[in-house]
Amino acid sequence: MKLLRLWLSCLLVVVMLVFTSKPALAFCGFYVAKADSSLYNQASQVIIARDGDRTVLTMSNDYQGDVQDFAMVVPVPVILKEEQVHVGDSKILTRLDGFSAPRLVEYFDPDPCQPEAFYDGYNFYESEDANVPAVRQRKIEADLGVTVEEQFSVGEYDILILSAKESDGLETWLIQNGYKIPKGASELLQPYIRQNLKFFVAKVNLEEYDSNGFEKLRPLAMAYESPKFMLPIRLGMMNANGDQDLIVYLLSPNGQVELTNYRTVKIPSDTEIPEFVKVEFKDFYTSMFQKSYEQENKKVAFLEYAWDMGSCDPCSAEPLNPEELKEAGVFWLDRTSNNRWGGSNVFITRLHVRYSRDKFPEDLKFQNTSDRANFQGRYVINHPFRGEMTCREASQYQQTVRDRQEREAQNLASLTGWEIDDIRSKIEFIKAKSNSWWRNIWE
């Protein structure tokens, strides 16, 4: 029934699609593939759920290496208490990624001789296995100017909340206390100290990690209230080699979330591309993103998705249900939700930031808006009808397909920078693989 409804919703669109040279803009079709975070090596993912001054921030850990060397230092606007920190489930990031990823969709031309045919409240829970260690004796060297404001364990993490007076003192204290941070971090720590921010510091409790048989580190979530709506990214550049990818899922009861200190640009979308991209979608999207990134002088964030959580078209994954939304940090859900997904007042904005130290000298600063306009990174494949055609309309349709395939080749070359002759050769290869009747048409 679901497929039938999709067919019927596209019925009126098809008549226009078959005999027009304009791109297919209607949001219907068959989802084929998605450009999720797996396309990028060590892409960081962050969920930010915010309403008013209250924020729930969830950070994934893509750390690769010995867990005993893991250290996380995150500037935060307030002193966090144990009940404000939660160990999450990485599956929630996977769900948000799958739901909001740019997607490839395909349409199948009908038989032109058969005109009647048609196309196919966020809660934090203490870990049941929590083993909070005895509070260590606080021995802070006065000349370092570091104070341990809070100290607790959550799941497999030992957490400290620090304040500091000098960045050199904070860097020294962290190194002396066994935190594996790059030397020379004080330069990047200093601006946060000047803003009177605190520091959320985490390392792995090896006994807890080993006893539970974890295979990888789980996300950490924190809830706090502050007028500051920002995401610190500069500390992540301390030991970075080249550009880094960050995908931010911003959840709001209002509408799209925008950056205030960097431009936000929509990723190229709603473009018809050749059939062979179906098996080369990863290469296509990474090439297209890199070219767009370079064209924008590497100084923008890209909007990849903006949509109400209660719907999607085409859907690369089901919208998150109320339980999943709460796990993602949505704490306002029970107020006005009125459908089975609970998404009527949850709007998701997906921003993809590729950044480097010289191009992104400031942390990301956001603002909520009331703009609920839908957008998605969406790329269209049109499959020609390859059955026998005996009507007089066939010749017109054949010319339409020739024109469309050339336009698709030019679109792909423009988006990716790939050689147009290579693209045309691949299109011809697809034609040669089709049935003999169709091959005769192109001879």
Side-chain angles (χ1 to χ4, degrees):
M1 290 298 295
K2 184 176 182 181
L3 184 59
L4 178 60
R5 287 196 299 271
L6 178 59
W7 282 349
L8 292 175
S9 69
C10 295
L11 177 58
L12 295 179
V13 178
V14 171
V15 177
M16 297 165 52
L17 288 177
V18 176
F19 298 109
T20 183
S21 61
K22 296 181 180 180
L25 299 181
F27 281 2
C28 59
F30 296 94
Y31 155 74
V32 181
K34 61 180 181 292
D36 57 24
S37 63
S38 64
L39 266 62
Y40 309 98
N41 293 327
Q42 298 182 338
S44 299
Q45 297 181 77
V46 175
I47 306 170
I48 303 178
R50 184 172 172 93
D51 184 21
D53 286 344
R54 180 170 171 79
T55 297
V56 178
L57 173 67
T58 304
M59 301 168 292
S60 67
N61 293 319
D62 59 356
Y63 177 76
Q64 298 180 2
D66 195 326
V67 293
Q68 69 180 359
D69 296 329
F70 171 83
M72 174 188 287
V73 181
V74 181
V76 292
V78 297
I79 296 173
L80 297 172
K81 305 292 185 180
E82 181 177 356
E83 60 270 18
Q84 293 173 269
V85 181
H86 168 68
V87 177
D89 189 336
S90 60
K91 292 180 181 178
I92 200 64
L93 287 149
T94 302
R95 285 283 286 118
L96 281 170
D97 188 22
F99 176 75
S100 62
R103 71 267 339 248
L104 181 67
V105 296
E106 59 185 350
Y107 297 92
F108 294 85
D109 289 355
D111 182 351
C113 298
Q114 298 293 329
E116 71 278 7
F118 54 85
Y119 287 114
D120 281 17
Y122 197 60
N123 297 311
F124 289 110
Y125 299 96
E126 295 183 3
S127 171
E128 294 179 0
D129 298 321
N131 181 20
V132 180
V135 178
R136 304 180 186 93
Q137 182 180 1
R138 297 188 179 186
K139 294 182 178 180
I140 306 300
E141 296 183 21
D143 57 339
L144 293 180
V146 177
T147 302
V148 179
E149 304 286 357
E150 291 290 332
Q151 179 175 336
F152 49 87
S153 291
V154 176
E156 65 268 34
Y157 296 97
D158 289 336
I159 309 294
L160 296 177
I161 309 298
L162 305 178
S163 60
K165 296 180 180 179
E166 298 291 339
S167 59
D168 288 344
L170 178 57
E171 179 186 12
T172 300
W173 189 95
L174 289 168
I175 293 173
Q176 287 181 352
N177 283 269
Y179 290 91
K180 307 288 185 179
I181 67 169
K183 291 185 178 180
S186 59
E187 178 185 349
L188 294 176
L189 293 169
Q190 183 59 46
Y192 301 111
I193 294 175
R194 286 200 298 264
Q195 296 176 60
N196 198 32
L197 295 181
K198 313 305 175 186
F199 296 89
F200 176 95
V201 180
K203 66 179 179 180
V204 177
N205 182 319
L206 294 177
E207 182 178 350
E208 185 72 19
Y209 184 84
D210 292 338
S211 65
N212 283 277
F214 294 124
E215 296 182 359
K216 61 181 181 179
L217 295 172
R218 297 180 293 171
L220 271 169
M222 58 187 76
Y224 55 86
E225 291 196 17
S226 171
K228 295 181 183 291
F229 189 8
M230 53 87 71
L231 181 65
I233 62 172
R234 286 176 296 172
L235 287 180
M237 303 178 191
M238 285 192 293
N239 56 354
N241 294 319
D243 298 335
Q244 293 182 278
D245 282 288
L246 170 67
I247 298 175
V248 188
Y249 313 101
L250 297 130
L251 306 177
S252 166
N254 304 311
Q256 287 188 33
V257 177
E258 301 174 342
L259 282 167
T260 62
N261 57 336
Y262 295 102
R263 285 197 306 123
T264 300
V265 175
K266 291 179 178 178
I267 198 71
S269 182
D270 287 317
T271 305
E272 295 177 322
I273 52 181
E275 289 177 281
F276 73 82
V277 176
K278 181 175 180 177
V279 295
E280 297 185 19
F281 187 52
K282 177 178 179 178
D283 292 340
F284 157 72
Y285 194 82
T286 52
S287 295
M288 185 199 66
F289 189 93
Q290 181 65 25
K291 184 176 181 184
S292 299
Y293 171 64
E294 292 171 354
Q295 287 177 333
E296 296 293 345
N297 199 27
K298 304 182 179 182
K299 291 183 177 180
V300 303
F302 288 96
L303 177 67
E304 291 185 324
Y305 194 80
W307 212 279
D308 192 290
M309 183 59 72
S311 64
C312 53
D313 189 2
C315 294
S316 59
E318 283 290 319
L320 276 66
N321 62 40
E323 291 72 23
E324 290 173 320
L325 287 170
K326 288 180 180 179
E327 180 64 25
V330 177
F331 52 86
W332 62 86
L333 186 62
D334 294 334
R335 294 205 302 258
T336 60
S337 62
N338 56 15
N339 64 35
R340 69 185 180 94
W341 290 296
S344 62
N345 65 330
V346 180
F347 196 93
I348 177 172
T349 305
R350 174 185 172 122
L351 297 181
H352 185 164
V353 184
R354 180 167 290 172
Y355 63 95
S356 60
R357 195 167 175 177
D358 60 327
K359 298 295 185 178
F360 278 75
E362 299 179 355
D363 293 320
L364 305 181
K365 299 177 182 178
F366 304 99
Q367 67 178 7
N368 277 306
T369 77
S370 58
D371 182 3
R372 300 185 75 92
N374 294 332
F375 174 80
Q376 61 180 313
R378 175 178 174 272
Y379 310 95
V380 179
I381 285 179
N382 295 295
H383 297 283
F385 178 76
R386 290 191 166 100
E388 184 174 0
M389 296 180 290
T390 57
C391 61
R392 62 183 181 181
E393 288 83 4
S395 59
Q396 179 185 356
Y397 170 71
Q398 293 159 13
Q399 185 60 51
T400 297
V401 172
R402 293 187 188 97
D403 294 343
R404 184 176 71 190
Q405 289 182 329
E406 174 59 24
R407 185 175 66 252
E408 290 168 348
Q410 293 178 10
N411 288 345
L412 185 59
S414 176
L415 287 173
T416 62
W418 293 354
E419 291 293 334
I420 187 70
D421 288 340
D422 293 341
I423 295 171
R424 287 172 178 151
S425 294
K426 290 184 178 182
I427 292 174
E428 291 301 318
F429 177 77
I430 295 296
K431 295 176 188 176
K433 294 287 285 184
S434 61
N435 63 51
S436 59
W437 183 89
W438 186 258
R439 286 203 302 269
N440 292 334
I441 293 177
W442 297 94
E443 291 176 353

